[in-house]
Amino acid sequence: MRMYDVIAKKKHNEELSTEEINYFVNGFTKGEIPDYQVSALLMAIYFNKMNERETVDLTMAMVNSGDKLDLSKIEGIKVDKHSTGGVGDTTTLVLGPMVAALGIPVAKMSGRGLGHTGGTIDKLESFKGFSMDIAEEDFIKNVNEIKIALAAQTGDLAPADKKIYALRDVTATVDNLSLIASSIMSKKIASGADAIVLDVKVGKGAFMKTPEDVKDLANAMVSIGKSIGRETRAVISDMDQPLGLAIGNSLEVVEAIETLKGNGPKDLMELCLALGSNMVLLAKKASSLEEAREMLMESITSGKALEKFKDLISAQGGDASYIDDTSKFEKAKYIVPVVSEKSGYVKRINAENIGIVAMELGAGRATKESVIDLAVGIVLNKKRGDYVEAGEALAYIHSNHEEKIEKAKNDIIKNYELVSEYKDDIPLIFDVIK
Ligand code: URA
Ligand code: CA
C-alpha cells in the first residue's frame, strides 16, 4: 500500500477501506508516514468527509494504536462521562460523588486543562495533599472500595489521536465532524468505559456554535459507541453563558461543594441531574430516568454525595476538612465587584470571552507551559434573565495582580448584553440523543 494512493483516493471523494485507514493510522503512529502526507490526507478528509463506517474504523484504529485500560477487575457497569469543553464547567466534581454515592463505579481518567480554567486534576489540587498520580492498582482498589477514583491519564491511551490532533491543530483541520467524533470516542473507549454519557455543549462558549452542527456531532459519537457495543447517550446543553457562577479552579471546587450541599446554582444542578440520570440508567441501577433522578436528588438531601466527595479526597491524600470549612481554600488577594453603569435585563453573557478574561487573570493555561493560579477567576453575580440595577455588581473578579483588574472589569462589562425587556426562551437542555 502507498500513502500517495490513499491520499489520492480521498481527494477523489472515494471511500477508504478499513485496511487503508489502519495503514495510515499505524504508519503515522510509528513514524513511518511523514507529517506532510497525513496533513494532505486530513485536508482531503476535511473537504470530502468520511462516512459512518470510515469514522468507526478511524476510531478503532486510534483505540488500537496504544494501551487499553483494563477495568475488568472493577465490579459493576462502568459508565464514563465526557464533556466537550465549556466555560466554568464543574460537572465532573458534582456528578462523580453523586453517582458513586448510589454504588455505581466511577473510574475516571482526567487531563490537565488547556483553556479557560484548568482540568479536573488542576481543580482538585486546590485540596492540600490531593494527588491524581495514583498507581493503576490503587485506582482499581479505590473504585472497588469507595466506588470512585480520579486519576491523571496513565499509560499510552490512543497515541494516534494525540499525534493526529496535534497535526490537525496546525493544519486548520480540527473542525471536521468525523475527526472530532473519532478523537473523543477513541479516548473514552481506550479508557475502558462500558457505557458513555456525553455532555455536548452548544453556543458561544462551546466548540460547536449552532444546534444543527452539535446535533450532527452528537449523533456521530452515539453511533460510534453503538456500533462497537458501548451504549452511548449525548445530552446537548446550552453553553451560551457560563455554567454555574464560578469560573476558576478553587472557585469551582467551592461551587461544587455548595452544590453537593444542596445550595448550588440551579443550572449546574439541573445539568448534573440530567447527565447523572442517564448514567444511572446506563448502569442499570434504575428502570426509568425519573427514578434515577429521584435517587440522585436523595444522594444530595441525605448528605451521601457530600460524604462520598470527602471519601474521594481523603483516599487520594487530600485534606477533606476543606469541604466542611471552605474558607481553608487559598483566596485571591483582591476581590472586586464589576459594577454595572446601566440598568436592564441580562440578555446574553458571552461565555467564550468571559472564559478568556478568567484565563488572563491566571485561571487557565494560554500555553502548555503556563502555570495556573488556583485562587483566581470570576464569580458571576448576574445571569441571563436577571435584572440589574445601575450600581449593582454583575460579577466579582478574584485576582492576585492589582494591575490586571481594570482590563478584566472592562472586558466583563463589554461581554454582558443588557436589554430593557427580556423573556427567557433558551432551554438549558436542547436534546438527548440515544
Ligand atoms: N476534543 C478532542 O479530544 N478532540 C477533538 O478533535 C476536539 C475536541
Ligand atoms: Ca461553574
Side-chain angles (χ1 to χ4, degrees):
M1 208 177 286
R2 291 198 314 156
M3 187 60 183
Y4 180 96
D5 299 324
V6 178
I7 300 167
K9 204 169 166 188
K10 196 35 101 180
K11 182 183 79 173
H12 291 123
N13 201 12
E14 289 169 40
E15 184 177 341
L16 300 181
S17 70
T18 306
E19 294 70 34
E20 286 160 338
I21 290 169
N22 286 337
Y23 167 76
F24 98 79
V25 172
N26 292 334
F28 184 49
T29 309
K30 288 189 206 137
E32 292 163 6
I33 298 174
D35 285 6
Y36 51 82
Q37 284 190 307
V38 177
S39 300
L41 178 63
L42 289 169
M43 192 56 84
I45 292 171
Y46 178 86
F47 281 113
N48 289 330
K49 307 193 167 52
M50 280 181 142
N51 65 21
E52 216 172 295
R53 200 224 90 239
E54 291 173 293
T55 307
V56 171
D57 284 346
L58 176 59
T59 308
M60 290 316 292
M62 296 199 291
V63 170
N64 293 326
S65 70
D67 298 339
K68 276 167 267 181
L69 207 60
D70 178 10
L71 300 182
S72 59
K73 291 202 199 85
I74 297 173
E75 303 134 28
I77 301 173
K78 278 78 68 186
V79 186
D80 204 352
K81 183 225 60 158
H82 177 82
S83 297
T84 65
V87 177
D89 191 340
T90 322
T91 51
T92 298
L93 297 180
V94 180
L95 262 179
M98 276 170 86
V99 171
L102 303 182
I104 297 166
V106 176
K108 191 149 184 57
M109 288 284 161
S110 280
R112 285 187 193 276
L114 183 65
H116 311 112
T117 65
T120 302
I121 307 184
D122 302 296
K123 290 175 194 172
L124 287 174
E125 282 176 352
S126 306
F127 286 96
K128 192 165 151 264
F130 186 88
S131 170
M132 295 205 13
D133 291 321
I134 58 173
E136 199 172 316
E137 265 170 52
D138 293 324
F139 180 72
I140 288 171
K141 186 170 134 268
N142 286 0
V143 180
N144 278 330
E145 285 175 2
I146 63 168
K147 297 297 167 197
I148 184 166
L150 299 176
Q153 208 131 298
T154 55
D156 199 17
L157 301 179
D161 170 65
K162 208 173 285 169
K163 283 194 81 172
I164 293 172
Y165 198 25
L167 205 51
R168 287 164 58 207
D169 216 13
V170 293
T171 55
T173 50
V174 169
D175 54 339
N176 169 274
L177 195 82
S178 292
L179 296 178
I180 298 173
S182 59
S183 167
I184 292 172
M185 290 300 285
S186 67
K187 284 172 283 205
K188 290 290 113 182
I189 294 164
S191 45
D194 298 316
I196 300 157
V197 173
L198 299 162
D199 169 21
V200 185
K201 317 284 196 189
V202 58
K204 280 257 167 22
F207 210 73
M208 293 274 172
K209 312 283 185 204
T210 74
E212 296 74 38
D213 285 349
V214 88
K215 225 166 159 163
D216 290 345
L217 176 63
N219 270 312
M221 293 190 288
V222 168
S223 84
I224 292 171
K226 274 193 187 150
S227 72
I228 57 148
R230 316 271 177 118
E231 208 175 334
T232 303
R233 291 180 168 209
V235 176
I236 301 177
S237 69
D238 173 47
M239 205 12 107
D240 216 33
Q241 67 174 349
L243 185 66
L245 301 170
I247 305 147
N249 299 279
S250 301
L251 297 170
E252 288 180 40
V253 172
V254 173
E255 179 166 76
I257 292 168
E258 287 306 320
T259 306
L260 289 168
K261 289 177 180 170
N263 310 320
K266 226 170 61 191
D267 59 345
L268 176 59
M269 187 72 243
E270 184 53 37
L271 182 59
C272 288
L273 287 170
L275 293 167
S277 48
N278 281 289
M279 291 172 77
V280 173
L281 206 65
L282 293 192
K284 304 202 188 319
K285 287 276 184 181
S287 48
S288 70
L289 282 174
E290 293 69 33
E291 187 194 352
R293 199 181 167 91
E294 295 271 311
M295 290 162 71
L296 289 165
M297 293 204 295
E298 209 267 333
S299 80
I300 299 284
T301 50
S302 66
K304 283 184 188 144
L306 189 69
E307 282 307 309
K308 195 47 75 182
F309 194 39
K310 289 182 191 169
D311 291 347
L312 165 70
I313 298 303
S314 304
Q316 297 189 209
D319 182 349
S321 71
Y322 282 44
I323 294 174
D324 289 322
D325 180 6
T326 54
S327 72
K328 288 187 173 179
F329 287 104
E330 199 191 313
K331 285 200 180 40
K333 225 183 288 173
Y334 307 96
I335 301 174
V336 290
V338 180
V339 175
S340 180
E341 288 162 10
K342 297 187 293 183
S343 302
Y345 289 95
V346 178
K347 182 179 179 209
R348 180 162 290 147
I349 307 170
N350 186 315
E352 186 174 24
N353 291 345
I354 295 285
I356 293 168
V357 177
M359 186 173 77
E360 287 171 349
L361 288 167
R365 290 188 178 84
T367 70
K368 266 186 284 199
E369 288 72 35
S370 311
V371 177
I372 283 187
D373 184 340
L374 293 171
V376 305
I378 300 165
V379 178
L380 306 180
N381 189 48
K382 297 287 180 181
K383 296 228 0 189
R384 196 168 56 216
D386 287 346
Y387 188 73
V388 188
E389 288 279 2
E392 268 193 290
L394 295 169
Y396 292 87
I397 292 169
H398 293 237
S399 178
N400 275 324
H401 297 277
E402 199 175 4
E403 70 279 9
K404 288 187 177 178
I405 293 171
E406 205 48 39
K407 179 175 188 299
K409 266 189 194 171
N410 292 331
D411 287 347
I412 290 171
I413 289 175
K414 260 190 285 183
N415 284 292
Y416 263 88
E417 190 184 334
L418 300 185
V419 292
S420 55
E421 272 175 59
Y422 179 72
K423 193 174 145 287
D424 190 357
D425 53 3
I426 304 177
L428 175 66
I429 313 273
F430 284 89
D431 209 345
V432 179
I433 309 282
K434 53 192 181 205

